[in-house]
Amino acid sequence: MEELPPIPDLEPHQGVDAEQSSTALPAFRYVLFPRKGGWSAFPYPDIAALMVAEGPVYYVSSLDRSEEMPANITVITLPEAEQLLQEPRTVAVVAHPYWLTATASLHPELCIALLPEPVGEEAESPLWESCISRLVGIADLVGTTSETRYMKLVFQGVRAIWLNGEDTSPAGVMQKDDLEVPLRDYELLFLQALRQTLSGVPDTVTPLQCSVRADFYRQLRSKAGAHETISFLLAAYEYVLEDSRAAASLKEAFSHAVLNGRKDCVSSHYRFLSAIYARAGEIENALQVYGISAGNEQERHHYEQLCRWLEAGEEQLVRAELLHLNDDYGNALHILDELGGETARHWKFRIYQETGRVEDALDLVHAVDIQDSPSRQGYRQLSGLALALRGERHGAVRQFLETALEDEDALARIVEMELLDQAVQQLLGEVP
């Protein structure tokens, strides 16, 4: 059994240690935007407790304080939260995606998204995923209990933490007053990620957590043997870590998927090998794999186009596109950033749109891009989304109405704004 990498020592945090110099900056404050149902429905009470140890925590609600709410959390109204978030060193902590426009329009200094699992009709609502996408697009740190979503976020290049794990034993302690509070590994990792985010330092937690997960699946594989799902997840983490064993793990997963009769395993498993090869710089092998996995006319046409680009010497563009086709938006963007040029700009715009980074996408639009009617329509709709997130409601409605003159589907954006207004009332506890 391989030994897990050590959890890093937590660095002293400004404003937490009572013995700090009086010239130290004050602690950050945390404003929690919860889901409906009161404190008992808050999805991450353990993470809220960690924030309490870091600085003052406020809970936004129209309801009276419930008995089960910790005494060291202060209940405030939405107007009070709006005022508080105008002050420096105040963090918005969003625990439900339907707070999207209400919190984004406040322009918080920092935003942490604690993504909940959907309840009831939320899972079937297209509004749920679209709001999560745009919330992630403005968040500085994202937490989730879903390992599938965690991996998706890591591939997007988002600073994220998986708030779960199989090991319930303490991995370390946090000093709180005269007490030592035992913490699980993901709690320690969250604290480290939080402090790095607040300090603006590079992310070292994601590779550490991915290394922990890779070791878990490697140990699981050694006990259970080769397995379609275990080997695929191991390959995914090895890929993130640029571990040379990723290709072998992926081929193993694909072989077992074939043996299990998975009809879509060429696209769901084998195609990922093209990303592994592309990440390693083996562009010809990567392109060959993608060509084998191209299952419909559109994908075959795309493959032929990629072949022409490679023949024209556009190796890095082909590499970036193969990563993009495997949902590795983060590394694709890194390549495009280094390349520069008009093609890279257009491709970055597409990735920003796909990942809900509305403002980033809008910043890339040039006048030459919106000469024809379809382009102008897309620009108006994108502008409307950006205005809605900024809190400029009338401007957003105007953009959507202008778009609706040629595309009635744009009216759905206005309906979405109304639905989010109603959702906020429910989240506050003002209506059932």
Side-chain angles (χ1 to χ4, degrees):
M1 178 179 293
E2 297 191 31
E3 185 176 339
L4 296 181
I7 301 295
D9 292 332
L10 293 178
E11 301 169 357
H13 186 51
Q14 289 181 323
V16 176
D17 192 336
E19 298 180 359
Q20 283 181 302
S21 166
S22 60
T23 60
L25 291 171
F28 277 89
R29 292 170 294 191
Y30 304 90
V31 180
L32 307 185
F33 292 86
R35 72 177 316 146
K36 65 179 180 181
W39 178 253
S40 61
F42 190 78
Y44 295 102
D46 52 343
I47 298 302
L50 294 179
M51 291 177 176
V52 166
E54 297 288 281
V57 174
Y58 302 87
Y59 181 94
V60 183
S61 178
S62 295
L63 301 174
D64 294 331
R65 165 183 291 278
S66 58
E67 292 183 1
E68 68 268 19
M69 181 177 288
N72 45 17
I73 294 179
T74 304
V75 177
I76 60 175
T77 64
L78 182 56
E80 289 172 328
E82 293 172 350
Q83 183 175 359
L84 194 58
L85 282 165
Q86 302 309 308
E87 299 179 16
R89 301 182 70 80
T90 307
V91 183
V93 183
V94 186
H96 196 286
Y98 292 171
W99 283 109
L100 173 67
T101 53
T103 52
S105 64
L106 299 176
H107 312 290
E109 180 179 343
L110 290 166
C111 177
I112 297 173
L114 299 178
L115 302 180
E117 292 303 296
V119 174
E121 297 178 354
E122 292 174 342
E124 307 300 325
S125 171
L127 187 62
W128 179 264
E129 283 300 325
S130 67
C131 286
I132 282 183
S133 176
R134 278 175 277 158
L135 178 59
V136 167
I138 65 170
D140 299 283
L141 174 65
V142 182
T144 176
T145 55
S146 166
E147 188 169 16
T148 300
R149 190 176 293 281
Y150 170 69
M151 181 55 67
K152 179 180 178 180
L153 293 168
V154 169
F155 271 52
Q156 283 183 220
V158 173
R159 190 184 291 231
I161 290 290
W162 183 54
L163 300 173
N164 214 330
E166 296 78 16
D167 188 359
T168 59
S169 60
V173 296
M174 177 181 66
Q175 196 74 30
K176 176 60 177 172
D177 299 325
D178 296 329
L179 299 176
E180 286 190 345
V181 182
L183 300 178
R184 293 179 58 178
D185 58 0
Y186 73 81
E187 293 171 324
L188 281 170
L189 290 170
F190 175 82
L191 264 183
Q192 187 77 354
L194 175 64
R195 293 174 181 180
Q196 288 183 349
T197 302
L198 300 183
S199 303
V201 301
D203 175 18
T204 63
V205 177
T206 296
L208 177 57
Q209 188 164 46
C210 285
S211 180
V212 170
R213 296 310 295 158
D215 282 338
F216 168 76
Y217 285 112
R218 200 170 287 120
Q219 293 166 16
L220 191 60
R221 183 195 170 282
S222 68
K223 295 176 182 177
H227 184 277
E228 173 190 341
T229 304
I230 296 172
S231 300
F232 184 83
L233 289 169
L234 174 58
Y237 283 112
E238 288 174 337
Y239 169 80
V240 171
L241 297 166
E242 296 188 83
D243 190 315
S244 60
R245 293 172 285 184
S249 298
L250 192 279
K251 290 174 183 177
E252 184 177 84
F254 173 65
S255 298
H256 280 264
V258 172
L259 291 174
N260 291 335
R262 283 280 300 271
K263 294 181 180 179
D264 63 343
C265 60
V266 172
S267 60
S268 66
H269 287 63
Y270 183 75
R271 179 176 294 175
F272 185 40
L273 194 59
S274 66
I276 295 174
Y277 286 147
R279 186 98 188 271
E282 301 175 29
I283 308 303
E284 291 186 1
N285 287 339
L287 190 52
Q288 183 181 34
V289 168
Y290 179 73
I292 293 171
S293 71
N296 56 47
E297 184 176 348
Q298 182 180 0
E299 290 177 347
R300 287 190 291 272
H301 174 73
H302 205 159
Y303 165 68
E304 292 168 0
Q305 194 174 41
L306 290 173
C307 289
R308 289 193 292 271
W309 285 336
L310 187 60
E311 290 173 1
E314 299 287 359
E315 184 174 293
Q316 291 306 305
L317 279 177
V318 173
R319 187 184 185 199
E321 181 62 3
L322 287 170
L323 295 176
H324 166 246
L325 291 168
N326 283 278
D327 299 331
D328 186 354
Y329 300 104
N331 282 307
L333 283 171
H334 287 318
I335 294 171
L336 296 173
D337 284 338
E338 292 176 358
L339 280 175
E342 283 299 286
T343 301
R345 179 175 69 87
H346 285 287
W347 288 11
K348 285 169 62 178
F349 173 80
R350 178 185 52 173
I351 290 175
Y352 288 151
Q353 279 195 307
E354 292 176 12
T355 55
R357 293 171 62 173
V358 177
E359 292 285 0
D360 289 331
L362 197 60
D363 287 343
L364 289 179
V365 178
H366 295 173
V368 70
D369 301 321
I370 50 177
Q371 299 298 318
D372 57 86
S373 180
S375 297
R376 285 194 296 272
Q377 288 289 91
Y379 177 72
R380 287 194 193 102
Q381 186 144 196
L382 183 64
S383 298
L385 289 173
L387 289 168
L389 289 175
R390 295 172 195 164
E392 300 176 30
R393 187 182 186 88
H394 294 299
V397 170
R398 184 176 65 252
Q399 293 286 352
F400 293 143
L401 286 175
E402 289 179 2
T403 308
L405 293 174
E406 298 179 38
D407 181 6
E408 291 184 359
D409 290 343
L411 293 174
R413 296 297 188 186
I414 299 176
V415 174
E416 178 182 289
M417 293 172 65
E418 296 293 336
L419 290 174
L420 290 179
D421 287 344
Q422 296 171 20
V424 166
Q425 290 182 308
Q426 292 181 322
L427 293 168
L428 287 168
E430 293 176 351
V431 296

